[in-house]
Amino acid sequence: MTDEIAMQFYLKSDLPDKSYYKSLAGCAIRGYRETCLKIIKDRVNKDNVDLVLSEIDDFVSPYNGAETNQSELEVYNEVMSILHDIKKVK
């Protein structure tokens, strides 16, 4: 799958909020930057950022130690930085 295909799925989806947060985690660890940024813009705010971070942690925990390429790691780190910046606004 590519970032473009992930974006198409996201734009057509109608899921519960928690599912979008898990999807954000999945997209981040796969390096789908544009899809991550769109999900954050559409779905994340200072009121739900703690839940988003918790869902990401829950999703990513089993992958700790798994091999990740540099571009995927950069996207994940960028997403986490953005989320922590949103949290600081609280």
Side-chain angles (χ1 to χ4, degrees):
M1 182 168 354
T2 65
D3 194 2
E4 294 78 19
I5 293 171
M7 180 71 79
Q8 288 176 14
F9 281 127
Y10 168 67
L11 293 173
K12 293 177 182 180
S13 66
D14 183 22
L15 304 169
D17 286 338
K18 276 189 169 184
S19 295
Y20 286 111
Y21 309 153
K22 297 273 191 198
S23 297
L24 174 60
C27 288
I29 64 173
R30 288 170 181 83
Y32 302 154
R33 182 179 186 274
E34 296 305 315
T35 305
C36 289
L37 296 177
K38 180 69 171 152
I39 294 170
I40 292 169
K41 179 182 175 201
D42 292 350
R43 306 277 173 181
V44 181
N45 58 59
K46 65 181 179 159
D47 297 323
N48 68 3
V49 70
D50 288 326
L51 178 58
V52 173
L53 288 166
S54 173
E55 291 297 316
I56 289 174
D57 184 55
D58 182 59
F59 184 91
V60 174
S61 294
Y63 294 98
N64 283 343
E67 195 171 311
T68 306
N69 74 41
Q70 187 61 33
S71 66
E72 292 169 345
L73 186 57
E74 287 173 8
V75 171
Y76 176 79
N77 288 335
E78 179 182 5
V79 165
M80 295 305 289
S81 177
I82 291 168
L83 295 174
H84 285 288
D85 286 346
I86 292 170
K87 183 175 178 160
K88 287 179 189 173
V89 173
K90 289 179 104 174

